[in-house]
Amino acid sequence: MQHLIAPSILAADFANLQRDIELVNASEADWFHLDVMDGVFVPNISFGMPVIKAIAQHAKKPLDVHLMIVDPDRYIEEFKNLGADVLTVHYEACTHLHRTVQSIQTHGMKAGVALNPHTPVEGLKDIIEDVDLVCLMSVNPGFGGQKFIERTYDKVRALRKMIDDSTSCALIEIDGGVGPENWEKLVDAGANVLVAGSSTFRASDPHAAVRKMKGMQ
Ligand code: DX5
Ligand code: ZN
């Protein structure tokens, strides 16, 4: 499949949020990536329900919501009501991951599981056929604009093999430090969705940056 680009709104200008949402609507990007942080699971607080509600009113592309929060089960229904299409929880934050994944799907959303940089992909072996997306963190979660961790390429390849050796149709998403320099190597390794925060919104020409990461120029 053609890979997807998901600009992370964390890097948008919050004083001009509607403008930046329209920018993504008008671009070749595929999804909106929304990072929700609780100040407990990660050492930062981003935005919550009212902001997502406002984004959903203007966004014309799927909402890919990345929960960096403890006990995400408490909010699954609320995120569905806010308009989330993909809801991703952290492997490290879920004691009963299988139940959480089932609950997300029962609520009519695609279920994603995110792995921190230190978490091996092998831990997904017994759930890979039940998830719709695996998000490999290529930075430590909590902040935009960090440096890409090179070890991620090996993780993508190992995960690609695990998926291809199974009946799983899970998409592989890469989150953190992705940009014009490394998108192609990630796609070659088997990635399907590239989150691009700084590399979209901090680019001198965001439309051109997205087109480049889509392989269009
Ligand atoms: C980090 C977030 C990322 C972040 C990516 O915790 O999950 O989605 O916004 O930002 P960039 O693309 O700037 O590394
Ligand atoms: Zn994210």
Side-chain angles (χ1 to χ4, degrees):
M1 65 172 275
Q2 160 73 40
H3 66 279
L4 309 178
I5 301 294
S8 169
I9 292 298
L10 194 62
D13 177 356
F14 289 171
N16 289 287
L17 198 46
Q18 186 176 354
R19 182 199 68 190
D20 282 359
I21 293 163
E22 297 297 354
L23 186 155
V24 176
N25 284 338
S27 76
E28 299 287 345
D30 301 278
W31 292 355
F32 285 86
H33 185 83
L34 307 182
D35 290 302
V36 178
M37 306 177 185
D38 66 355
V40 179
F41 181 69
V42 288
N44 195 10
I45 297 174
S46 57
F47 49 77
M49 313 327 188
V51 174
I52 293 180
K53 191 173 175 192
I55 293 170
Q57 279 165 4
H58 300 286
K60 297 197 175 81
K61 295 178 180 181
L63 302 185
D64 171 35
V65 179
H66 177 193
L67 298 183
M68 285 159 274
I69 65 174
V70 296
D71 204 2
D73 299 73
R74 290 193 292 162
Y75 302 108
I76 290 172
E77 188 171 357
E78 206 167 335
F79 281 108
K80 172 62 188 174
N81 293 338
L82 286 167
D85 295 284
V86 182
L87 193 63
T88 296
V89 296
H90 262 265
Y91 177 93
E92 302 84 6
C94 297
T95 309
H96 300 286
L97 183 60
H98 192 274
R99 180 184 292 151
T100 305
V101 163
Q102 278 186 325
S103 174
I104 293 170
Q105 291 166 338
T106 301
H107 283 84
M109 296 175 284
K110 300 282 186 203
V113 174
L115 302 189
N116 279 336
H118 76 277
T119 304
V121 297
E122 286 71 22
L124 293 172
K125 186 171 162 288
D126 292 305
I127 199 167
I128 195 66
E129 290 175 359
D130 302 296
V131 303
D132 300 297
L133 177 146
V134 176
C135 174
L136 297 180
M137 293 306 303
S138 39
V139 298
N140 283 296
F143 303 91
Q146 300 182 82
K147 189 176 176 300
F148 180 83
I149 296 172
E150 297 286 322
R151 166 77 193 159
T152 309
Y153 297 115
D154 284 347
K155 293 181 76 173
V156 181
R157 282 188 279 268
L159 181 58
R160 181 81 270 151
K161 181 165 177 6
M162 184 191 294
I163 291 170
D164 290 349
D165 288 349
S166 74
T167 61
S168 172
C169 299
L171 298 177
I172 301 178
E173 179 176 69
I174 313 299
D175 189 2
V178 176
E181 344 65 55
N182 55 11
W183 72 270
E184 198 163 12
K185 202 169 160 193
L186 287 164
V187 171
D188 287 347
N192 306 111
V193 186
L194 304 178
V195 175
S198 310
S199 57
T200 299
F201 292 106
R202 305 284 148 85
S204 55
D205 183 345
H207 289 285
V210 171
R211 280 199 300 275
K212 178 152 186 30
M213 290 184 278
K214 289 279 284 187
M216 294 170 142
Q217 63 183 45

